[in-house]
Amino acid sequence: MRILSIQSSVAYGHVGNSAAVFPLQRLGHEVWPVLTVHFSNHTGYGAWRGPLLDPADVREVIDGIDDRGVLGTADAVLSGYQGDPAVGAVILDAVARVKAANPDAVYCCDPVMGDVGRGMFVRPGIPEFMRDEVVPRADLITPNHFELDFLAGTTTTTEAEVLAAVDAVRARGPRQVLVTSVRYDDPGWEGEEELLEMIAVSDDGAWSVTTPLLPIAPNGGGDITAALYLAHLLDSGSPAVALERTAGSVFAVLEATLAAGTRELQIVGAQDAIAVPPTRFAARQLR
């Protein structure tokens, strides 16, 4: 597959394109990374250096790809953090151009806006732009639990409520939804181990995978998850298979990160588990 990935980039560590490109390549896909920022490191450190690219410069790079006559051959467009509505407009224009040439191309949007415990961490206006302009144009979205609640305009505390919120969002555009980092106050699971749930929903049904909750929360986890799920969904055509493969690989990366005692995802060290996803977690059909 050929994937146009329009995201941030860091020199040190793994977020944005720096978390998505290598895993996609390790799976054998051709990736065209377009950068929206190029920072020394992710902003979680509290200090960083490097440029926030002007939307016109981002458009120039995409235009240059189009000049080669290949933009319309992309099988998918992947986007993540959008720091400015003007960058979002450039991304949507690129999606429209790709789809005009290849109607079967898929737009996967990771609607990065916030998280539980942190609230919204993007600039004012970005959440509304994402909800009203970007998400309705996407074929696949990969919000976390917090972001799903914002997009649906509700608060979800049970699996049934999460599914209802997903259906509300799907009614506005995206047919495929992957919800990450789902946690409930009273999940009803047996045992005392804390778990995280991922839920995939399409026209064909809904599936869930639960994994142990590890005592780390590194930046970039959502970026690699969105990239891997997109790749496995397009490759298999099955949300359940894509869910199982994504969960196996991401959990292996997180385990390696925990063992290394670092705050940066061990994507390179765990690359074999990306190329051949462990069959560790089985998908459970919800409906």
Side-chain angles (χ1 to χ4, degrees):
M1 287 189 301
R2 295 168 296 275
I3 300 172
L4 176 67
S5 183
I6 311 173
Q7 300 194 59
S8 61
S9 176
V10 294
Y12 173 74
H14 299 285
V15 299
N17 264 334
S18 303
V21 173
F22 176 68
L24 289 171
Q25 291 172 330
R26 195 66 180 83
L27 286 170
H29 303 300
E30 187 70 36
V31 188
W32 306 332
V34 176
L35 311 185
T36 56
V37 309
H38 187 54
F39 290 162
S40 56
N41 51 269
H42 67 67
T43 58
Y45 286 97
W48 64 93
R49 296 173 183 262
L52 177 67
L53 299 181
D54 188 278
D57 292 329
V58 178
R59 187 184 298 273
E60 276 290 296
V61 174
I62 296 170
D63 286 345
I65 297 173
D66 202 13
D67 289 343
R68 304 284 71 77
V70 297
L71 186 64
T73 68
D75 298 293
V77 180
L78 172 64
S79 71
Y81 172 73
Q82 299 180 19
D84 188 288
V87 172
V90 172
I91 293 171
L92 290 180
D93 178 69
V95 170
R97 291 158 71 181
V98 168
K99 282 180 169 285
N102 178 15
D104 292 329
V106 171
Y107 173 34
C108 173
C109 169
D110 183 10
V112 179
M113 296 177 287
D115 205 351
V116 173
R118 298 178 63 189
M120 292 293 185
F121 51 68
V122 295
R123 291 172 52 184
I126 293 294
E128 293 77 13
F129 176 77
M130 193 72 69
R131 179 192 63 203
D132 300 336
E133 301 295 334
V134 180
V135 166
R137 303 271 292 277
D139 301 292
L140 163 64
I141 62 170
T142 62
N144 61 34
H145 195 170
F146 174 87
E147 291 160 345
L148 172 69
D149 282 1
F150 171 77
L151 293 174
T154 188
T155 299
T156 57
T157 59
T158 68
E159 196 170 76
E161 290 174 348
V162 169
L163 289 174
V166 169
D167 288 341
V169 174
R170 291 178 68 241
R172 301 205 300 269
R175 306 311 305 162
Q176 302 268 1
V177 176
L178 174 70
V179 189
T180 65
S181 301
V182 179
R183 296 184 69 187
Y184 309 110
D185 294 334
D186 182 16
W189 291 315
E190 294 183 1
E192 297 181 356
E193 184 179 41
E194 286 194 84
L195 301 175
L196 276 182
E197 187 175 24
M198 286 200 298
I199 295 176
V201 183
S202 75
D203 289 340
D204 296 324
W207 295 264
S208 166
V209 159
T210 55
T211 63
L213 175 63
L214 297 175
I216 54 171
N219 294 69
D223 302 325
I224 185 175
T225 298
L228 291 179
Y229 186 77
L230 168 66
H232 289 308
L233 183 64
L234 293 181
D235 179 60
S236 69
S238 166
V241 171
L243 191 60
E244 293 175 343
R245 291 177 180 175
T246 300
S249 293
V250 172
F251 192 79
V253 170
L254 292 175
E255 281 188 315
T257 304
L258 180 61
T262 175
R263 64 188 297 176
E264 294 294 344
L265 290 171
Q266 296 299 293
I267 289 176
V268 176
Q271 62 179 284
D272 289 346
I274 293 172
V276 183
T279 55
R280 185 170 177 179
F281 305 105
R284 170 174 61 99
Q285 187 156 11
L286 305 179
R287 66 184 189 199

